Amino acid sequence: RGIMKSYKNMEEFAKECGIPLDNIKATFKEYNMLADKQAKDPENGPYEAYGGGKSWDKWGKKFYHSLPLDVDDAFHVAIVTPVIHYCMGCLKIDPGAEGVYEAEGVSATPSCTNAT
């Protein structure tokens, strides 16, 4: 279906997409460093982790796989375009799933809260 495209390395990908390879190298270096910190000290990161616990990643990632990332490796890449479900935004809620801001009567749906 043409969803995925294979690249022999990140240099090939970077050229096709017009991205400086040094940017990808820097991203991989930071990602590998965060993964290493998380593996060595999973309970003491400075950030709240997605799903609970602590993380060294500011976005809350705490599980890393297929490491280390290396720009010389082959990659299969898919461009993911956001759809409305991924663009809904954020609503802070209290333990009763009530919206925590100035609009009264706003409740979060199970889809927003991972509730059933």
Side-chain angles (χ1 to χ4, degrees):
R1 297 182 344 173
I3 295 172
M4 302 286 291
K5 185 165 183 183
S6 296
Y7 296 91
K8 64 181 178 182
N9 56 43
M10 278 289 107
E11 182 176 10
E12 185 178 82
F13 170 79
K15 279 183 186 175
E16 182 175 307
C17 294
I19 301 170
L21 182 59
D22 284 342
N23 290 9
I24 298 171
K25 286 179 180 178
T27 299
F28 281 14
K29 181 178 179 180
E30 179 181 15
Y31 188 88
N32 290 333
M33 179 269 305
L34 290 170
D36 187 54
K37 279 185 171 183
Q38 192 68 30
K40 289 178 179 173
D41 190 9
E43 302 301 323
N44 292 303
Y47 304 103
E48 294 299 318
Y50 179 76
K54 291 295 193 174
S55 174
W56 292 93
D57 174 54
K58 65 184 174 185
W59 302 108
K61 182 176 179 67
K62 62 181 181 178
F63 300 111
Y64 296 82
H65 307 283
S66 303
L67 297 171
L69 294 181
D70 189 310
V71 294
D72 294 323
D73 289 341
F75 285 85
H76 305 284
V77 177
I79 303 299
V80 178
T81 303
V83 294
I84 195 65
H85 184 78
Y86 300 116
C87 303
M88 291 188 294
C90 181
L91 173 66
K92 186 174 182 175
I93 61 171
D94 67 15
E98 294 292 322
V100 181
Y101 65 108
E102 296 176 7
E104 287 187 33
V106 175
S107 295
T109 65
S111 175
C112 297
T113 64
N114 280 337
T116 55

